[in-house]
Amino acid sequence: QVQLVESGGGLVQAGGSLRLSCALSGRFFSVYAMGWFRQAPGKEREFVARISCNGGGTTNYAESMKGRFTMSRDNAKNTVYLQMNNLIPEDTAVYSCAADRTCYRSSRDSRNGAMYDYWGQGTQVTVSS
């Protein structure tokens, strides 16, 4: 049974930084591609970033996050991270991580939450102006 637990959310002022973590309990963490999504109140779930399986050599980001967010993975700790810098109020949302048993996908499919097999409960990020 795979479980994902996010942590690291909180309240931060605009311009600040946060680092989210997502720990996966279960075997063979390295074979999963991992993604981050977010959902703001009254809005649809939105793709944030994805990292490929194994060494995580390939990362994809939503356009609005490029240059501000960095996703990484530590297979020894069964954990992925999302470093978020220069946060703006529009980044306020619940951030969830997800695991995908398919390592490589097209850019389009990578952004589709329906392609992911396991989800965490999410962690709240609030950016004040």
Side-chain angles (χ1 to χ4, degrees):
Q1 182 72 16
V2 173
Q3 291 185 322
L4 301 173
V5 179
E6 301 94 339
S7 61
L11 174 64
V12 64
Q13 288 188 331
S17 299
L18 281 175
R19 188 176 82 154
L20 305 183
S21 300
C22 171
L24 182 148
S25 63
R27 301 177 65 185
F28 310 121
F29 169 74
S30 64
V31 305
Y32 294 101
M34 300 294 294
W36 284 98
F37 291 78
R38 70 185 186 184
Q39 188 165 19
K43 294 187 177 181
E44 293 186 354
R45 184 172 61 195
E46 178 184 24
F47 170 78
V48 174
R50 175 184 170 103
I51 192 166
S52 59
C53 63
N54 297 321
T58 301
T59 51
N60 297 318
Y61 299 93
E63 196 62 34
S64 63
M65 287 74 163
K66 286 181 180 179
R68 299 191 300 125
F69 291 8
T70 303
M71 186 174 184
S72 60
R73 68 187 298 155
D74 185 339
N75 291 338
K77 296 182 179 179
N78 280 19
T79 300
V80 292
Y81 304 96
L82 184 68
Q83 177 67 43
M84 305 186 294
N85 299 327
N86 297 320
L87 286 161
I88 59 178
E90 290 75 17
D91 293 320
T92 296
V94 174
Y95 284 71
S96 299
C97 68
D100 183 0
R101 289 177 291 187
T102 298
C103 185
Y104 295 102
R105 292 192 184 273
S106 68
S107 177
R108 174 183 175 182
D109 285 350
S110 294
R111 288 161 163 73
N112 183 353
M115 296 295 171
Y116 293 76
D117 301 291
Y118 306 101
W119 289 84
Q121 292 298 311
T123 185
Q124 176 71 46
V125 171
T126 303
V127 184
S128 63
S129 57

